[in-house]
Amino acid sequence: MSEPRLVGVLGGMGPAATVDFYGKLVEETAATCDQGHVPIVIWGDPRVPDRSLSLLGGGEDPTPYLRRGIEALKRAGCEVLAVPCNTAHAFVPRLADEAGLELVSIIEVTADALAADGVGAAGVLATTGTLRAGLYADALRRRGVEIVEPDAPGQRQVMAAIGAVKSGGARPAHRRALAEVSRSLADRGAERIVTACTEIVLALDVSRVPVPVLDPARLLARRVADVALG
């Protein structure tokens, strides 16, 4: 059996999502002892400027902060990079290439799963920056999957729920709103709901959604375990 590859996790965006991702990585690893798990280094820097605001032209460029984290993970000996923040994927592929790290993309992993299931249309709950950058739209359309996005009022509710998780936890009103937006996407033809922001999965009650819900953080964890352990 080959030696496990050291994985760098570029986290802190946000902290709760980073903790959630590591828990899912442990769950998705077929290990029978400590030594069978994926070796990782977590760089958790919550000072990274808001990725969505930057993409919308109203915030500081997060690139220098992301580059600093990736370079630190490289110096630590990491070979594989995982980023449990969807919006950051507008910036990190180029930086991973610069550092010579193999990026396991949360976007591509999720698009692969939808295509493998034969899904024709997927509803995407994400930050406004992720949607405007077309991260999921591009990946899904390359695989013949239609993207269904919230309308403007629904997107405001999504962003409010994301902000609530980042500030300590979503309230019942946020959970109800996310479920309502999800149902509206299903009514418009979405066969799956993608929680395409790693905070959303911490606030959405999947039992109130009429179609299956995909968790990109779990899909990323599963793929990272496969890549790291061979």
Side-chain angles (χ1 to χ4, degrees):
M1 186 174 180
S2 59
E3 187 73 15
R5 301 171 72 191
L6 184 61
V7 175
V9 177
L10 188 66
M13 304 174 284
T18 303
V19 172
D20 178 65
F21 172 73
Y22 186 40
K24 287 169 180 171
L25 180 58
V26 172
E27 292 171 358
E28 293 296 332
T29 303
T32 58
C33 60
D34 291 349
Q35 293 75 22
H37 282 277
V38 176
I40 71 167
V41 177
I42 298 176
W43 178 270
D45 187 357
R47 298 170 297 179
V48 179
D50 189 293
R51 284 68 60 200
S52 189
L53 280 178
S54 176
L55 290 170
L56 297 173
E60 182 182 353
D61 182 5
T63 300
Y65 295 80
L66 298 171
R67 179 180 285 112
R68 184 183 306 131
I70 289 172
E71 289 176 348
L73 292 170
K74 176 70 173 182
R75 289 194 301 272
C78 297
E79 301 176 34
V80 179
L81 179 66
V83 186
C85 171
N86 290 264
T87 313
H89 282 69
F91 306 92
V92 296
R94 176 175 59 86
L95 301 177
D97 284 344
E98 287 178 3
L101 294 178
E102 178 182 347
L103 173 66
V104 182
S105 167
I106 197 171
I107 311 290
E108 298 297 324
V109 165
T110 304
D112 285 345
L114 289 165
D117 284 348
V119 173
V124 176
L125 302 177
T127 67
T128 305
T130 292
L131 297 179
R132 292 275 183 89
L135 299 180
Y136 274 93
D138 292 345
L140 294 181
R141 287 171 184 150
R142 288 199 306 271
R143 295 164 173 83
V145 181
E146 180 186 350
I147 185 171
V148 186
E149 299 179 0
D151 59 16
Q155 185 59 25
R156 287 194 291 271
Q157 292 178 315
V158 170
M159 290 300 292
I162 292 169
V165 174
K166 288 181 179 294
S167 63
R171 297 189 296 275
H174 296 115
R175 298 181 185 279
R176 287 194 298 272
L178 283 179
E180 290 169 5
V181 174
S182 298
R183 286 194 293 269
S184 73
L185 296 179
D187 289 343
R188 289 165 52 202
E191 302 162 36
R192 300 285 191 279
I193 300 298
V194 180
T195 55
C197 171
T198 42
E199 273 79 26
I200 290 174
V201 73
L202 303 177
L204 177 62
D205 181 355
V206 299
S207 68
R208 302 174 67 177
V209 180
V211 296
V213 175
L214 259 67
D215 176 5
R218 186 168 295 280
L219 297 173
L220 176 63
R222 192 173 299 159
R223 181 70 64 84
V224 165
D226 289 343
V227 170
L229 301 177

